[in-house]
Amino acid sequence: MGKEASRKLEWRINVSDGVSERLEPETGAILRAWTWFKRLMLGGFILKICKFLEKAWNLAVDEPKKVIHGLKVGLAISLVSLFYYMRPLYDGVGGNAMWAVMTVVVVFESSVGATLGKCINRAIGTFLAGSLGVGVHWIAFHSGKNLEPIVLGISLFLLASAATFSRFMPTIKARFDYGIMIFILTFSLVSVSGYRVDRLLELAQQRLSTIAIGASICIIISMLFCPMWAGDELHLLICQNLEKLAHSLDGMFTKTCSKKMKGYRCALNSKATEELKANFARWEPAHGRFSFRHPWKQYLKIGASIRNCAYCIETLHGCVDSETQAPPHLKRHLNNICMRLSSSSSNVLQELAFALKTMKQSSKINLSVGEMNFAVQELKHALISLPNHNISIKNPSPSTVEASGNCNTEPITSIRASSSFMEILPLATLASLLIENAAKIEVIVNGVNELAVLAEFKPTTDNKKSKSNQSPKKLTSENQDPETVKIPQKV
């Protein structure tokens, strides 16, 4: 009876399993897989959109000028599109109204100088190319039908080759590269289309007028609505680089490490930006504190001097963080004077940044430079007056040699020489870099002083302070210790 019951039970279980498998729908697994895939794709797509919107919002908050530029471009395109939407305006320019839209899209830049430069280049390039194209077409037309394509082809080859070669010249490429490219494009269009178009002069006139309309709208909007001047950006960039160098020098010998101490790295990579902004600033009219012929080239000289100083500061930071360190007693001997020179150099840079930012002649720069030069002389004197037992080598006497029984003293002397030299080398390198950095800072001071003369910086109102600040410089140059005057320049 027990075996029969177990057989019946097994039969029932098998039947139930078979029934469950038959009742399960075949599309259930595919449906679940499709639902999971749809949720995964939809969730990932929404997540990417949210991340993109977050990045766009952060960029708009950090740099609102880019949002303003986008709105200005939208406004310019909306205004120039009226030449298509309004019938009287469309009849005035004809079907070439699209050239005005293309001009706005290509010419409108973020700064006023860049927009003016491109507009002037496009206008000049279009006018010259159109005039030459019409003149060449007239000559080719009167040469006969057989010689007309030959004259057009030869003129196109010569002018396009010469214009393309001129783009490689640095002086032309810096300011007129876009205009030459427009010249080649316009002359090619006029030469090629003029062979099949009868009213070439009318066509050239309409295109020139539409380009003038688009360029005028760009200039008006760029200068009237939240103008962004390339000259202001260049001026601010040089001031910020000076401040970053000052922060990098200040507190160099302390154990604290912050982002301000690494600010010199920004000055190392600003050459291309400075040249670009200086090129755009030359096109800008007089605005604010800057006249029409403001000496923008002098900013490039100051920027080059700042980069030279930044390279020296980078090497200084490498020496401070180097694994090869001098003995503690040697560090204590030069620690205070090195910190004093670093602090005085930082004060000079901060004073230069303040004078450049306010565009006023500084009344404290002479005192700051005098303190820095005095610290340089102290450091040179401290290097020469290092303890003699750390750098000098005394030859053993014959009595000590006989007592020790060692006649070969040259290896011992060389070992002592190498060990003492390796101890003094890190400090000597650091001190020489500090002295070299002070010399580079004086070059920056001369560059800013020259800019103050060219740009006519406002003088200080308090004459008594300026006289008192000039007196310490005389004291440091005339009443120096005679021992420090005899110290050589290179250590």
Side-chain angles (χ1 to χ4, degrees):
M1 294 293 294
K3 293 181 179 179
E4 293 179 356
S6 63
R7 289 176 182 175
K8 293 180 180 179
L9 183 60
E10 290 177 0
W11 180 80
R12 289 177 182 176
I13 294 173
N14 293 333
V15 169
S16 63
D17 291 340
V19 172
S20 63
E21 290 178 0
R22 288 194 300 271
L23 292 177
E24 184 179 2
E26 297 180 357
T27 60
I30 300 175
L31 183 61
R32 286 197 300 271
W34 170 251
T35 304
W36 175 81
F37 179 75
K38 185 169 61 174
R39 289 178 180 176
L40 180 63
M41 293 298 296
L42 185 61
F45 182 70
I46 294 176
L47 183 61
K48 290 181 179 179
I49 292 178
C50 293
K51 288 183 178 179
F52 174 77
L53 293 177
E54 183 180 1
K55 291 180 180 179
W57 176 261
N58 294 332
L59 180 62
V61 172
D62 295 337
E63 299 182 14
K65 291 183 178 181
K66 295 183 178 180
V67 180
I68 296 174
H69 174 64
L71 296 176
K72 289 162 67 175
V73 172
L75 177 60
I77 293 178
S78 299
L79 290 177
V80 79
S81 62
L82 295 177
F83 286 88
Y84 261 98
Y85 299 149
M86 300 180 68
R87 191 67 186 182
L89 296 177
Y90 181 81
D91 294 338
V93 297
N96 293 316
M98 184 56 66
W99 284 91
V101 180
M102 293 176 59
T103 301
V104 172
V105 175
V106 175
V107 163
F108 211 128
E109 295 290 340
S110 59
S111 64
V112 177
T115 303
L116 276 172
K118 276 198 168 183
C119 289
I120 295 174
N121 273 275
R122 189 175 183 88
I124 294 175
T126 303
F127 177 76
L128 292 178
S131 302
L132 286 175
V134 172
V136 170
H137 177 73
W138 184 83
I139 296 174
F141 178 77
H142 288 81
S143 299
K145 292 186 177 181
N146 295 328
L147 295 176
E148 183 177 0
I150 298 176
V151 173
L152 292 176
I154 293 175
S155 63
L156 181 62
F157 171 76
L158 293 177
L159 289 176
S161 301
T164 304
F165 176 76
S166 64
R167 296 181 64 188
F168 293 101
M169 299 180 181
T171 54
I172 296 178
K173 185 177 181 62
R175 304 191 65 180
F176 304 105
D177 183 70
Y178 181 72
I180 294 174
M181 184 178 63
I182 295 300
F183 173 84
I184 297 172
L185 176 62
T186 305
F187 185 79
S188 301
L189 290 175
V190 171
S191 298
V192 174
S193 61
Y195 185 70
R196 300 294 181 182
V197 177
D198 295 333
R199 297 181 300 176
L200 180 61
L201 185 60
E202 182 180 355
L203 178 63
Q205 183 180 0
Q206 288 180 352
R207 289 186 178 180
L208 185 62
S209 61
T210 52
I211 290 174
I213 291 171
S216 301
I217 291 176
C218 291
I219 293 174
I220 292 173
I221 294 178
S222 179
M223 296 183 65
L224 296 182
F225 297 94
C226 299
M228 303 175 190
W229 304 97
D232 292 343
E233 295 177 356
L234 176 62
H235 185 83
L236 182 61
L237 178 62
I238 297 297
C239 295
Q240 290 177 349
N241 287 341
L242 284 173
E243 292 177 349
K244 290 174 182 178
L245 291 187
H247 290 308
S248 299
L249 281 173
D250 193 13
M252 179 183 295
F253 297 97
T254 59
K255 295 182 179 180
T256 59
C257 183
S258 60
K259 292 183 179 179
K260 289 185 177 181
M261 293 183 63
K262 303 295 182 180
Y264 63 89
R265 296 177 180 175
C266 298
L268 296 175
N269 303 320
S270 62
K271 180 180 179 181
T273 306
E274 291 173 4
E275 293 179 350
L276 191 64
K277 293 184 182 300
N279 184 27
F280 293 153
R282 296 171 187 171
W283 296 101
E284 294 177 348
H287 61 280
R289 299 175 295 175
F290 308 104
S291 59
F292 178 69
R293 300 190 62 83
H294 193 73
W296 299 114
K297 289 184 179 180
Q298 186 63 27
Y299 284 87
L300 297 180
K301 295 180 181 179
I302 297 174
S305 302
I306 291 175
R307 279 189 296 276
N308 292 333
C309 185
Y311 286 123
C312 191
I313 294 176
E314 184 179 27
T315 311
L316 274 171
H317 277 274
C319 290
V320 173
D321 300 334
S322 176
E323 297 180 359
T324 305
Q325 298 291 336
H329 61 279
L330 292 179
K331 287 184 178 180
R332 288 193 298 268
H333 186 73
L334 295 177
N335 185 32
N336 293 332
I337 182 60
C338 288
M339 292 181 63
R340 193 178 303 118
L341 178 55
S342 178
S343 178
S344 60
S345 301
S346 176
N347 292 335
V348 172
L349 290 174
Q350 289 180 356
E351 191 64 29
L352 289 177
F354 180 76
L356 191 61
K357 185 180 297 184
T358 58
M359 296 188 71
K360 293 182 179 179
Q361 297 178 2
S362 175
S363 60
K364 300 179 182 179
I365 191 63
N366 291 333
L367 176 62
S368 301
V369 173
E371 291 177 352
M372 183 182 68
N373 292 332
F374 186 75
V376 168
Q377 296 297 331
E378 284 186 338
L379 180 56
K380 291 179 180 180
H381 183 67
L383 278 176
I384 291 183
S385 62
L386 280 173
N388 293 330
H389 65 275
N390 291 322
I391 57 176
S392 63
I393 304 169
K394 294 183 179 180
N395 293 326
S397 60
S399 60
T400 57
V401 173
E402 291 177 358
S404 61
N406 187 5
C407 297
N408 189 8
T409 60
E410 293 181 0
I412 299 176
T413 305
S414 62
I415 292 173
R416 292 179 180 176
S418 60
S419 61
S420 60
F421 177 76
M422 292 303 297
E423 288 179 355
I424 199 65
L425 181 60
L427 277 180
T429 304
L430 181 64
S432 62
L433 286 174
L434 284 172
I435 296 172
E436 182 67 21
N437 183 67
K440 294 181 183 299
I441 291 176
E442 286 192 0
V443 177
I444 301 176
V445 173
N446 295 332
V448 175
N449 290 336
E450 186 177 354
L451 177 63
V453 174
L454 295 175
E456 298 179 355
F457 282 9
K458 296 180 180 179
T460 53
T461 56
D462 194 356
N463 295 327
K464 294 182 180 180
K465 291 184 178 180
S466 62
K467 292 180 180 179
S468 62
N469 290 333
Q470 290 176 0
S471 58
K473 187 176 181 180
K474 296 180 180 179
L475 291 175
T476 56
S477 60
E478 296 177 359
N479 300 330
Q480 287 178 346
D481 189 358
E483 294 182 0
T484 59
V485 177
K486 296 179 182 180
I487 295 175
Q489 295 296 325
K490 297 294 182 179
V491 179

